[in-house]
Amino acid sequence: LVSPISVMLALSMTANGADGDTLAQMEKVLGKDIPIDELNEYLYYYANNLPNEEKSKQLIANSIWFRDDEDRLVIEKDFLQTNANYYNAEIYKSPFTDQTLKDINNWVNINTDGMIDKIIDQIDDDTIMYLINAIVFDAEWKVIYTKGDIYQGEFTAIDGSKQISEFMVSGESLYLDDGSATGFIKPYYNNKYSFVALLPNEGITIENYINNLSGEELLKTIRSPEMTVVNTTMPKFSYEYEIRLNDILKNMGMSDGFNPTKASFTRMGRSSRGNIYIGEVLHKTFISLDELGTKAGAVTKVEMKDESAIMDMKIVKLDRPFLYAIIDNSTKLPLFIGTLMDLKKLTYYSITYGNRQRTVYNKKYTKLYIIMI
């Protein structure tokens, strides 16, 4: 079980911080080359016009959490404002401590009605931001199953084993047939949403069916049902699912964003520790379907990290004479400044006071220079 809209919303928020080839790849994967500004408009309209009623609930929440460390991380205000405007993203500047971990998981728990209790196990030192989407769906059937509609039966699992389950029987009116599978459409309360099921024909495995199914073909099938009497039987079920989407997104063409060297998220911000890139895209879902209706939840987390690419790494090895100082951080003025000339020989320096010259031995083997700033 996946929620395409959850993944889309989390990645689109992220794309608002991308630039160059990184942005171009994300635009191609997310919207088939639709510019991110237009995609923002479309997703804003789509998300805010989804039906949401008492017995047919659909809720979407977005949040951005970034590390509170101004010496390390600077976030672009336009990036935050765009995501607040189009995605109603809640913005949190946090210290990324154990308390932040609890706060993020608590936010996930609340915004999935308790269906998913956490999305993060730990916060790594190189993590600078989380962009998170949460979705809740909770709807009653248009016609609720009664006790007489439920019986015990066998479900044949993918490995051929037989599993005992409670099955629900109903009569529906929208029949689906795409030549390789048959199914039905079952409406939820007030006809705002529907459940769709497709069963591959005998001799066609579910893997082969899915591998040969395109998004266009699926939409065509759903949009052209046959009006007829359909006797349906389906089991009650409940399960959760988790998938790391990094490799899938790379294979779809969105590779630069995950590359510490190639990623360009300059419109998101900058880090003193190095380049900003996507560390992980994690997706979690939950569904429970029974005689009353369906509850489903989804969370997508985009984790941003900072890391210097090896080829761009600056190296300073103090293995010859060098200047050093002890400075006041607020003004950057030196309290002490000197040079290390020799690690073994005792050196000395001279300071002239008017007409007098005084020789001072330096027991730390340094030579002092007085620099007026």
Side-chain angles (χ1 to χ4, degrees):
L1 176 70
V2 297
S3 171
I5 186 61
S6 177
V7 177
M8 170 77 81
L9 291 171
L11 288 174
S12 295
M13 287 196 296
T14 308
N16 279 303
D19 202 0
D21 290 341
T22 301
L23 175 59
Q25 290 179 4
M26 296 186 78
E27 287 175 335
K28 186 172 184 178
V29 170
L30 295 173
K32 295 184 177 179
D33 293 322
I34 296 175
I36 186 60
D37 292 341
E38 293 182 20
L39 188 60
N40 287 336
E41 295 277 358
Y42 170 78
L43 290 174
Y44 174 83
Y45 178 84
Y46 177 79
N48 284 278
N49 283 277
L50 285 171
N52 181 36
E53 301 177 359
E54 183 179 353
K55 294 183 179 181
S56 185
K57 183 170 68 174
Q58 167 76 34
L59 298 175
I60 295 176
N62 296 300
S63 62
I64 297 175
W65 307 71
F66 65 94
R67 187 180 287 272
D68 183 7
D69 187 346
E70 294 181 358
D71 291 333
R72 171 180 174 181
L73 181 65
V74 176
I75 299 298
E76 294 293 337
K77 292 182 180 179
D78 287 347
F79 165 75
L80 297 177
Q81 192 62 58
T82 296
N83 283 315
N85 291 344
Y86 288 101
Y87 299 90
N88 297 315
E90 302 168 27
I91 311 297
Y92 298 96
K93 184 178 182 180
S94 304
F96 276 35
T97 59
D98 288 343
Q99 185 58 51
T100 304
L101 178 70
K102 293 178 182 177
D103 291 342
I104 292 175
N105 286 331
N106 186 55
W107 185 92
V108 167
N109 187 50
I110 291 172
N111 285 285
T112 59
D113 281 356
M115 286 182 277
I116 300 172
D117 60 358
K118 67 177 182 178
I119 192 66
I120 300 171
D121 292 319
Q122 66 179 35
I123 299 178
D124 296 330
D125 182 61
D126 59 351
T127 298
I128 59 167
M129 181 182 292
Y130 293 105
L131 301 99
I132 303 175
N133 166 269
I135 289 182
V136 167
F137 177 79
D138 187 355
E140 289 185 4
W141 299 118
K142 182 178 181 179
V143 178
I144 294 175
Y145 293 91
T146 65
K147 187 176 181 180
D149 299 324
I150 302 171
Y151 74 98
Q152 278 206 338
E154 284 187 345
F155 181 85
T156 303
I158 194 168
D159 61 1
S161 63
K162 304 294 183 180
Q163 301 172 349
I164 302 300
S165 176
E166 287 190 320
F167 282 79
M168 304 176 294
V169 179
S170 68
E172 307 300 335
S173 60
L174 298 176
Y175 179 70
L176 303 175
D177 188 345
D178 66 1
S180 298
T182 57
F184 61 91
I185 299 175
K186 181 177 179 63
Y188 290 102
Y189 176 82
N190 229 6
N191 290 315
K192 300 297 184 181
Y193 297 97
S194 292
F195 177 83
V196 175
L198 284 165
L199 180 70
N201 295 340
E202 291 289 344
I204 301 177
T205 65
I206 187 68
E207 296 98 328
N208 288 338
Y209 178 70
I210 292 173
N211 289 337
N212 291 308
L213 182 66
S214 68
E216 291 79 7
E217 290 170 341
L218 178 61
L219 283 177
K220 181 181 178 181
T221 300
I222 294 173
R223 288 171 175 171
S224 54
E226 178 185 348
M227 293 283 293
T228 187
V229 176
V230 191
N231 291 319
T232 73
T233 303
M234 66 174 168
K236 296 182 183 181
F237 62 88
S238 177
Y239 69 91
E240 56 188 21
Y241 180 69
E242 176 180 327
I243 183 171
R244 191 171 186 262
L245 296 173
N246 291 33
D247 290 340
I248 294 173
L249 292 169
K250 289 177 187 177
N251 291 335
M252 291 175 68
M254 208 184 87
S255 58
D256 281 10
F258 294 92
N259 189 309
T261 303
K262 294 182 178 180
S264 178
F265 287 98
T266 57
R267 298 195 306 152
M268 180 181 291
R270 62 185 184 276
S271 169
S272 62
R273 290 198 179 184
N275 199 29
I276 296 175
Y277 68 101
I278 300 173
E280 181 180 57
V281 179
L282 183 66
H283 186 59
K284 284 188 173 184
T285 56
F286 172 88
I287 186 170
S288 176
L289 184 149
D290 59 21
E291 67 271 24
L292 299 178
T294 305
K295 290 189 67 173
V299 174
T300 304
K301 173 201 73 175
V302 180
E303 181 178 13
M304 306 302 297
K305 292 179 176 287
D306 59 359
E307 179 178 283
S308 296
I310 295 176
M311 63 181 297
D312 294 327
M313 184 179 294
K314 306 296 188 292
I315 299 174
V316 178
K317 186 177 182 180
L318 301 176
D319 58 356
R320 50 190 170 80
F322 62 91
L323 180 144
Y324 66 93
I326 299 172
I327 66 170
D328 164 28
N329 281 337
S330 61
T331 63
K332 308 304 180 187
L333 293 175
L335 301 178
F336 298 88
I337 186 168
T339 59
L340 182 63
M341 310 292 287
D342 195 312
L343 295 176
K344 294 182 178 179
K345 294 181 180 179
L346 186 67
T347 61
Y348 66 90
Y349 57 86
S350 297
I351 300 177
T352 300
Y353 300 93
N355 295 323
R356 294 181 300 168
Q357 187 177 67
R358 180 182 177 190
T359 299
V360 181
Y361 288 94
N362 185 347
K363 295 182 180 180
K364 296 298 182 183
Y365 310 121
T366 66
K367 190 171 183 179
L368 176 68
Y369 292 93
I370 299 176
I371 301 177
M372 301 303 294
I373 299 178

